[in-house]
Amino acid sequence: MPKILSVNISKKKGIPKASIPEGNFIEEFGLEGDAHAGKWHRQVSLLGIESINKMKEVGVKNLDAGKFAENLTTEGINLWELPVGTKLKIGETIQEVTQIGKECHRGCAIKNLVGDCVMPREGIFTRVLKGGKVRVGDSIEIIEK
């Protein structure tokens, strides 16, 4: 079953995020205390460990969860294959996929640090439909496509 490997947070945009044991996700806002939270369509970012491992396979070193500024590092689900509008139960929350990938902005600290950024190709964004806690080890369930 797909699960959460890491919950990650940062106070500033465009930098790697630090792992925390659990996060409080607020309805129609995102992860409490995170720089990307707000009333918009990219409240939460998700990236799979499988995508991070692809970067390791091409020689990028020191890739921990949160290095690509993702809020949730997942395992066991091909996130980029989920259609926009898919609803996911993640921990206590319900989230809706709003965007697949993104345009990488110039001067991205992550791309400069790592050399490449997989987030624009394989990361996804969600908005929080129902708030609650998300903890490391929580399952991810597709509840509606």
Side-chain angles (χ1 to χ4, degrees), residues 47-78:
L47 184 67
I49 191 68
E50 298 84 359
S51 298
I52 294 169
N53 288 340
K54 286 179 189 176
M55 298 302 298
K56 288 180 180 178
E57 288 169 10
V58 297
V60 180
K61 299 188 183 328
N62 301 319
L63 290 182
D64 301 320
K67 190 68 90 174
F68 292 102
E70 76 277 7
N71 293 120
L72 298 173
T73 310
T74 66
E75 180 180 55
I77 186 169
N78 292 334

Side-chain angles (χ1 to χ4, degrees), residues 43-131:
Q43 296 170 354
V44 181
S45 57
L46 294 84
L47 184 67
I49 191 68
E50 298 84 359
S51 298
I52 294 169
N53 288 340
K54 286 179 189 176
M55 298 302 298
K56 288 180 180 178
E57 288 169 10
V58 297
V60 180
K61 299 188 183 328
N62 301 319
L63 290 182
D64 301 320
K67 190 68 90 174
F68 292 102
E70 76 277 7
N71 293 120
L72 298 173
T73 310
T74 66
E75 180 180 55
I77 186 169
N78 292 334
L79 297 168
W80 67 92
E81 292 178 355
L82 297 173
V84 169
T86 301
K87 291 184 177 62
L88 304 168
K89 183 177 185 316
I90 304 173
E92 297 174 352
T93 72
I94 295 178
Q95 300 183 32
E96 178 182 30
V97 177
T98 57
Q99 185 174 324
I100 310 296
K102 69 174 192 135
E103 185 175 327
C104 197
H105 57 85
R106 292 190 103 183
C108 172
I110 294 149
K111 188 171 183 177
N112 292 338
L113 179 70
V114 175
D116 187 17
C117 187
V118 71
M119 193 70 185
R121 297 184 298 276
E122 298 187 10
I124 70 167
F125 297 89
T126 64
R127 67 185 184 103
V128 180
L129 301 179
K130 176 184 174 276

Side-chain angles (χ1 to χ4, degrees), residues 7-13 15-18 20 22-27 29-38 43-44 69 71 128 132-133:
V7 179
N8 311 299
I9 193 168
S10 66
K11 296 282 184 201
K12 294 168 79 174
K13 291 183 177 184
I15 63 170
K17 295 182 183 293
I20 56 176
E22 71 176 32
N24 184 40
F25 289 74
I26 301 168
E27 185 175 317
F29 187 75
L31 175 56
E32 184 176 28
D34 187 70
H36 290 93
Q43 296 170 354
V44 181
N71 293 120
V128 180
K133 301 283 187 195

